[in-house]
Amino acid sequence: MVSLFPLRSGIRPVFVTAKQLAAVLPRVQLVDARYSLLDPIHYGRAKFAESHAARSVFAELETPYFCGPTHSTTARHPLPEAGNFIDWCARHRIGTAPPAVSLTPVCYDDQGGGLAATRVWWMLHDLGIEAYVLDGGWGAYLAAGLPIESGASTLPPPAPRETLSQWIGKTAWQGVVPDAAVLDPANLVVDGRTADRFGSTVRPFGLDTLPGRLPNSANAPWNANLFPSNGKPAPPPPTPLPAGVFNQLKPEDTLRAQMKAAYGGRPLSETVFMCASGVTACMNVAVSTHLGFGTPRLYPGSWSELTGNQRDVIFKRALEANGGMLVETVKANLMGKPFDAQLDDVTINGRKLLAPIALDRLPALVKAVVSTLKTDEEYIVWRTDAMGQEKFNVAVTRRISSRL
């Protein structure tokens, strides 16, 4: 097997260290895939313009090269047409045969690989292109003192026809499955969402619209693969890591034990990996591949698509499991502040009231749920009992103070 980096027991690695990278830097094409759910459009571009690895190219997740259209699906990050991605690769001379110049891609981000370096790696790997992820990402690159530069990202012009004809990879996605595969009870679904989202019951968390999980699923949080480089436990979110500290892979023995537990003794052919939108699941896929467990199948639409395609089933299951109570997210705000009855207004079914008054008008169970929500978000709170079903359209907004 051809491999730019040393094989591990006959297996090509996925993650490489900054020291390994430094030894072959002229032979690689660094791919900057920094991305943030808090600012999906501007964050990566701004970070790249500020500084990036010398000669790196920017992989912008929410563009047609890396993400399919979302107007006709609830999936937040569906895969693009493979041809769009191949066009991007050809523009950057990735995955092309001689006489075209082709360098080996090494992807990095600033979230240990989860947003969105392993997604780009997966796309390359799935099409048969040799690719890698930098362990520790941007933080590890800086700590190693490797060359950097600044300036905005520019997309090269379309590759000439002869370059496209020199593409050496496959031309269609290989390791993907539809929602029927995750609904099949014969399959084990390894869900990479964080523990709060996977374990949600009455209300969803993050950008999920509905709470819950599949009955045939097990949780393997994508961020459980990582640990701060200073060896100290990560501070609770949203507190950032200290300056100069970055997330990197846990020791291999730990990762191996976690991945073995995630598979639960099931063979690769009976597992499907997913997450919330098909991005962070790629972190678990990458770790599985790196450790030699194999490359599992991916359900790229993940929970965001499933809660659209199978909404009625998931909705009914959640209601029955939680005493007839359910919160459905209409508008999420990841930066929203915790609910405060003294500072917030609550709009219920179109009528805006001070929080204490609004809460007093709600049934006790609904009141308890609303008090856990965040500001600047909108929800539908459902309650079902023997008398029927009630629906409360709820919006929580922070009151603007007149004090300077």
Side-chain angles (χ1 to χ4, degrees), residues 165-347:
S165 68
Q166 292 159 356
W167 172 252
I168 62 174
K170 300 177 178 66
T171 56
W173 305 117
Q174 305 295 304
V176 297
V177 294
D179 55 12
V182 296
L183 295 171
D184 184 349
N187 287 326
L188 171 67
V189 178
V190 179
D191 191 327
R193 288 181 295 165
T194 53
D196 59 343
R197 295 169 78 167
F198 178 81
S200 61
T201 54
V202 174
R203 59 156 298 185
F205 291 92
L207 295 174
D208 296 341
T209 56
L210 289 175
R213 57 187 181 272
L214 289 166
N216 54 324
S217 63
N219 192 207
W222 72 272
N223 55 351
N225 296 301
L226 304 169
F227 198 74
S229 58
N230 62 359
K232 298 180 180 179
T239 306
L241 292 173
V245 178
F246 51 88
N247 279 317
Q248 60 186 14
L249 288 179
K250 288 179 177 179
E252 186 167 318
D253 288 349
T254 302
L255 291 176
R256 193 171 295 279
Q258 289 181 180
M259 192 56 61
K260 187 176 181 180
Y263 275 105
R266 303 287 286 275
L268 193 70
S269 61
E270 294 178 6
T271 59
V272 178
F273 280 39
M274 62 169 272
C275 58
S277 68
V279 176
T280 55
C282 295
M283 183 72 184
N284 283 338
V285 174
V287 170
S288 174
T289 305
H290 181 74
L291 295 176
F293 286 90
T295 302
R297 297 173 295 168
L298 176 71
Y299 171 41
S302 289
W303 190 250
S304 61
E305 181 180 68
L306 195 68
T307 50
N309 292 354
Q310 304 292 330
R311 182 186 182 279
D312 291 347
V313 174
I314 295 171
F315 185 92
K316 181 180 179 181
R317 182 186 297 140
L319 272 179
E320 292 174 348
N322 299 293
M325 283 289 297
L326 175 66
V327 176
E328 183 175 3
T329 301
V330 176
K331 173 190 171 186
N333 177 12
L334 297 181
M335 296 296 288
K337 295 179 173 62
F339 180 86
D340 188 323
Q342 304 307 312
L343 298 177
D344 291 332
D345 294 327
V346 177
T347 301

Side-chain angles (χ1 to χ4, degrees), residues 4 26-30 55 89-105 124 129-130 163 166-169:
L4 180 61
R27 299 168 60 189
V28 308
Q29 175 59 72
L30 285 156
R55 295 191 305 102
C89 291
R91 288 172 186 248
H92 296 290
R93 301 300 192 268
I94 293 173
T96 54
V101 177
S102 184
L103 299 174
T104 302
L124 290 161
I129 304 301
E130 179 185 359
T163 300
Q166 292 159 356
W167 172 252
I168 62 174

Side-chain angles (χ1 to χ4, degrees), residues 81-94:
E81 292 291 333
N84 289 356
F85 179 61
I86 292 169
D87 174 56
W88 182 90
C89 291
R91 288 172 186 248
H92 296 290
R93 301 300 192 268
I94 293 173

